[in-house]
């Protein structure tokens, strides 16, 4: 016999099974990135380099600008100078620590500025399309006629030596590739169903770009820009090596390579240390960028 209680409406909380939420996109990105041990190691190394640059006055054992010619070109492992001294008797360890400030700044700042300008150009060109896209992209393509190194040297030479002019030159160099990537990604996104639905609902172009386009294109553009940081560091070091970037006596790694080139035969290890730092930092940013790209690829 059916009881009265069975005929009464049941509590939905007790009868309906809880709906399991599928993990979000960014939680999946974090999970996939966490499985890439090499990318994590590179990220930790990049973080340590940033901390070294920020806290250089607390970490450096000596004044990086103070030197004595009597102790010039001491070898690696000298008592009191674990990484030796440079051509003016300055502590190499302290100069390498302080040099992280200039090298990271010259690597990150141009890419960030180019990321902002290039993303704006590429998103506008990709979303509007037509003749606007043709004019903007063909103008950008003009810069591809010049190799990056040659363009950076030419711009720095025209503007003059100095940190600010080097930053401007490197920013101009990186705007075209970032704009090209932004345009390609935006062209794909603008034809998606949710963008068409937004247009059909009467949303204006600015709202569609801000709400529906930017959120889907900034991720790939940012990952690509991250990989350019190592290129920017190498180009900046080359400009400093040629005397077009940071000026003496600042402890920038590229400039240190230039000033120590005559010591390559007497103290090869000391002369190679700035190059080793450039190599390690560049590889770390490259591996980190590869890890981010793989983690943000939903097909992984």
């Amino acid at each position: 016999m059916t009881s009265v209680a069975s005929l009464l409406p049941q509590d939905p909380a007790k009868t309906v099974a809880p709906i399991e939420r599928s993990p979000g996109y960014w939680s999946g990105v974090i999970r996939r990135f966490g499985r890439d041990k090499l990318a994590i190691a590179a990220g930790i190394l990049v973080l340590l380099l940033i901390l070294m640059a920020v806290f250089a006055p607390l970490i450096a054992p000596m004044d990086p600008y103070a030197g004595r010619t009597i102790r010039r070109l001491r070898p690696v492992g000298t008592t009191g100078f674990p990484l030796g001294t440079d051509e003016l008797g300055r502590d190499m360890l302290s100069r390498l620590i302080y040099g992280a400030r200039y090298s990271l700044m010259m690597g990150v700042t141009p890419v960030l500025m180019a990321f902002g300008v290039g993303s704006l150009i590429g998103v506008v060109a990709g979303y509007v399309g037509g003749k606007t896209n043709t004019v903007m992209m063909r103008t950008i393509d003009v810069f591809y006629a010049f190799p990056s190194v040659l363009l950076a040297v030419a711009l720095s030479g025209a503007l003059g030596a100095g940190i600010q002019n080097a930053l401007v030159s490197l920013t101009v160099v990186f705007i075209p590739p970032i704009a090209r990537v932004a345009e390609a990604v935006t062209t794909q996104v603008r034809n998606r169903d949710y963008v068409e639905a937004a247009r059909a609902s009467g949303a204006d172009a600015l709202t569609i770009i801000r709400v529906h386009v930017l959120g889907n294109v900034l991720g790939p553009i940012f990952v690509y820009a991250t990989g350019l940081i190592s290129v920017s560091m190498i180009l900046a070091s080359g400009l400093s090596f040629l005397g077009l970037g940071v000026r003496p006596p600042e402890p920038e790694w590229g400039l240190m390579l230039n000033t120590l080139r005559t010591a390559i035969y007497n103290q090869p290890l000391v002369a190679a240390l700035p190059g080793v730092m450039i190599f390690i930092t560049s590889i770390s940013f490259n591996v980190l960028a590869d890890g981010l790209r793989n983690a943000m690829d939903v097909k992984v």
Side-chain angles (χ1 to χ4, degrees):
M1 184 174 181
T2 304
S3 63
V4 177
S6 63
L7 300 177
L8 296 176
Q10 301 296 317
D11 185 0
K14 297 180 180 179
T15 58
V16 180
I19 300 176
E20 295 183 0
R21 291 186 176 181
S22 59
Y25 171 74
W26 289 110
S27 62
V29 170
I30 296 174
R31 184 177 64 256
R32 289 189 291 271
F33 185 81
R35 293 198 295 260
D36 193 339
K37 305 302 181 184
L38 189 60
I40 292 178
I44 293 174
L45 185 55
V46 169
L47 179 61
L48 291 177
L49 289 170
I50 294 174
L51 293 176
M52 182 178 71
V54 172
F55 298 103
L58 302 177
I59 301 175
M62 297 184 182
D63 185 351
Y65 301 98
R68 297 177 60 185
T69 56
I70 193 174
R71 63 188 187 197
R72 63 186 301 270
L73 293 179
R74 297 287 177 85
V76 175
T78 301
T79 302
F81 303 97
L83 296 182
T85 59
D86 66 0
E87 74 285 354
L88 296 179
R90 296 171 294 195
D91 180 45
M92 281 294 295
L93 176 59
S94 300
R95 290 184 64 79
L96 289 174
I97 292 175
Y98 271 87
R101 288 184 162 188
Y102 291 95
S103 296
L104 290 177
M105 178 188 68
M106 298 293 288
V108 174
T109 304
V111 174
L112 287 179
M113 293 190 294
F115 173 77
V117 178
S119 298
L120 177 62
I121 295 173
V123 169
V124 172
Y127 182 80
V128 176
K131 294 183 178 179
T132 302
N133 181 296
T134 302
V135 172
M136 296 178 70
M137 288 298 101
R138 295 299 80 78
T139 303
I140 289 295
D141 288 343
V142 172
F143 292 92
Y144 281 105
F146 305 94
S148 299
V149 177
L150 180 60
L151 182 59
V153 171
L155 291 174
S156 296
L159 295 175
I163 297 178
Q164 295 181 351
N165 292 335
L167 292 176
V168 172
S169 302
L170 293 174
T171 300
V172 174
V173 168
F174 292 120
I175 286 177
I178 293 178
R180 173 56 65 186
V181 172
E183 185 269 341
V185 177
T186 305
T187 300
Q188 296 177 355
V189 170
R190 73 174 182 180
N191 296 321
R192 299 290 175 85
D193 293 338
Y194 54 84
V195 177
E196 296 293 341
R199 289 198 194 98
S201 66
D204 59 277
L206 184 60
T207 301
I208 295 175
I209 292 175
R210 179 174 55 86
V211 177
H212 300 285
V213 176
L214 287 180
N216 292 282
V217 303
L218 287 183
I221 301 172
F222 176 77
V223 172
Y224 176 76
T226 304
L228 293 178
I229 294 178
S230 59
V231 181
S232 180
M233 287 189 58
I234 295 174
L235 289 179
S237 299
L239 292 178
S240 297
F241 184 89
L242 296 174
L244 297 174
V246 181
R247 297 178 178 179
E250 303 300 338
E252 197 271 335
W253 294 338
L255 181 61
M256 292 170 65
L257 275 177
N258 184 15
T259 58
L260 284 168
R261 71 182 187 279
T262 57
I264 190 67
Y265 300 106
N266 299 328
Q267 295 294 341
L269 290 180
V270 174
L273 285 175
V276 172
M277 293 299 298
I278 295 173
F279 174 78
I280 292 175
T281 307
S282 301
I283 290 296
S284 299
F285 275 107
N286 272 335
V287 173
L288 179 61
D290 289 341
L292 288 174
R293 182 175 61 250
N294 294 331
M296 296 182 72
D297 186 357
V298 295
K299 295 178 292 187
V300 174

